[in-house]
Amino acid sequence: MLGFFRKNKEDSKAAGTLAVGCGGGGCNMADRLGKISDVDILTVNTDRKGLVRTRSNRRILLGEGPGNGCGGDVAMGESLTRDASDVIHESIRRHMNIVLLAGLGGGTGTGSAKVIAEIAKRNGSRVITMAILPMSFEAGRRRVAVNALNDIKERSDILFAIDGNRLAELDPALGAREAFSVLDQMICESFICLTEMLEGKDGETIFQTMRDKFFTVSFAEGMSAEKVARSLIGGLMIDSAVTSRPIVFIRGNIPQNGSEEMIRETVLQSTGHEPVFVQGPAGQGMNLVMFAPVSAPVR
Ligand SMILES: Nc1nc2c(ncn2[C@@H]2O[C@H](COP(=O)(O)OP(=O)(O)OP(=O)(O)O)[C@@H](O)[C@H]2O)c(=O)[nH]1
Ligand SMILES: [Mg+2]
């Protein structure tokens, strides 16, 4: 087993957030996150090559073998992660928020997310999982992913899922590579907004509101409130009922002249619930992320 530090920022982040990239897809998400944020990152993989090229503060190679992945075997991913429990615990124990990033459906990401969530929970951290569900062309993987969701939900305080399939429906022209890139970007943006909310002054209240719920996320960007409100709804990534008030996180400034009212109305009409607005950092333009609690992950 291999574990090493590239840079050590542990002390300055004592109560902060740790992003944990699990498996191939999770490591790719973490890598993208590392490009746009200075959050602490741990990556965990059974695939040595995938691990080495990932931007992160600490990497843990699971297994003593050649390091070629689990070939879709979730039980193997789980078992190799359990074998590394001590080193994983040591790497995560100082962090208040553990955010697991994984593409579900393969062996490593699916198996390790479940085990790391357990370790983090035992350690008293808040456990948040952000997962991608595979697209329908990955039929077998999708079944594995959907089966794993409940296990992961039971072990996480908050579970987010973005359905790759829904993205493929919204934009059928997207190739697999571009689709992964869009999904990675969505995960990274929601990660950053979520972190700003949970580390902000109302973080504990927001955490308690979000706790034990299942979320999907959508984004909107721009200046015209009407356009922004519509794209926020159009981009909802899961086709299932919104069960309670969505949280709309605002970065930048909503223009004056009734724009907030317009967004409120559109969200209310489309989801059946009034949004809760949370103001993030002020700045140029407007960028909204909606965290919508939903009942079922997939159709
Ligand atoms: N967002 C995103 N998802 C990905 C990416 N690569 C793979 N995925 C998704 O993640 C799922 C699991 O694939 P991997 O992460 O490669 O699998 P793994 O966890 O490494 O598992 P094994 O290779 O079986 O050990 C796939 O079915 C894809 O849907 C990526 O770069 N970005
Ligand atoms: Mg892999």
Side-chain angles (χ1 to χ4, degrees):
M1 183 177 313
L2 175 80
F4 56 89
F5 282 100
R6 202 178 68 183
K7 46 187 173 172
N8 188 344
K9 295 194 293 181
E10 266 179 336
D11 292 337
S12 62
K13 296 271 189 177
T17 301
L18 178 71
V20 185
C22 306
C27 285
N28 289 344
M29 294 173 214
D31 187 53
R32 183 180 284 262
L33 187 61
K35 282 187 196 153
I36 57 170
S37 137
D38 70 348
V39 68
D40 266 346
I41 297 175
L42 165 69
T43 43
V44 174
N45 206 346
T46 50
D47 175 344
R48 186 186 293 265
K49 275 202 211 121
L51 191 60
V52 166
R53 63 165 185 259
T54 310
R55 200 178 310 254
S56 61
N57 305 94
R58 187 169 197 188
R59 305 177 180 94
I60 297 174
L61 177 68
L62 302 173
E64 308 279 356
N68 292 329
C70 290
D73 184 342
V74 178
M76 184 195 276
E78 215 177 304
S79 153
L80 291 175
T81 312
R82 286 196 197 287
D83 292 345
S85 293
D86 289 349
V87 68
I88 291 170
H89 175 255
E90 185 51 34
S91 305
I92 68 175
R93 69 185 176 86
R94 293 177 192 84
H95 294 270
M96 164 93 150
N97 303 315
I98 302 295
V99 184
L100 303 170
L101 308 172
L104 298 184
T108 306
T110 314
S112 65
K114 190 169 144 184
V115 175
I116 299 171
E118 266 174 38
I119 298 171
K121 232 350 184 339
R122 263 204 311 276
N123 186 47
S125 302
R126 295 164 169 174
V127 183
I128 298 128
T129 304
M130 301 186 131
I132 301 276
L133 292 165
M135 288 171 250
S136 55
F137 70 82
E138 308 176 280
R141 291 194 155 213
R142 196 167 163 88
R143 234 181 347 267
V144 171
V146 172
N147 287 340
L149 266 182
N150 273 338
D151 281 348
I152 293 177
K153 183 166 189 289
E154 270 171 24
R155 291 161 176 81
S156 307
D157 291 305
I158 306 173
L159 175 61
F160 291 86
I162 296 182
D163 189 349
N165 220 14
R166 177 92 172 102
L167 177 66
E169 282 172 17
L170 285 174
D171 192 349
L174 274 185
R177 215 186 162 84
E178 290 163 301
F180 282 147
S181 167
V182 172
L183 292 169
D184 290 351
Q185 193 176 343
M186 293 185 76
I187 287 281
C188 290
E189 290 190 38
S190 32
F191 175 93
I192 289 170
C193 293
L194 183 73
T195 308
E196 282 171 357
M197 290 201 299
L198 293 182
E199 291 185 354
K201 66 175 171 34
D202 298 323
E204 181 57 26
T205 311
I206 291 171
F207 174 72
Q208 292 303 339
T209 312
M210 297 182 90
R211 202 166 183 181
D212 293 329
K213 295 199 178 95
F214 182 87
F215 286 85
T216 189
V217 287
S218 67
F219 298 88
E221 205 173 352
M223 288 301 292
S224 143
E226 192 176 354
K227 264 195 197 153
V228 166
R230 290 230 182 87
S231 57
L232 200 60
I233 301 304
L236 256 191
M237 292 301 288
I238 274 179
D239 289 333
S240 71
V242 174
T243 53
S244 54
R245 298 179 69 182
I247 297 172
V248 174
F249 183 77
I250 307 159
R251 303 184 97 231
N253 303 318
I254 293 191
Q256 300 297 313
N257 66 31
S259 298
E260 184 169 325
E261 200 43 46
M262 155 95 63
I263 295 169
R264 184 189 305 280
E265 269 301 305
T266 311
V267 171
L268 175 60
Q269 277 173 18
S270 313
T271 69
H273 301 275
E274 284 233 6
V276 177
F277 286 103
V278 176
Q279 180 69 55
Q284 289 287 307
M286 170 170 59
N287 182 352
L288 304 185
V289 179
M290 178 160 74
F291 297 92
V294 288
S295 51
V298 278
R299 289 175 284 165

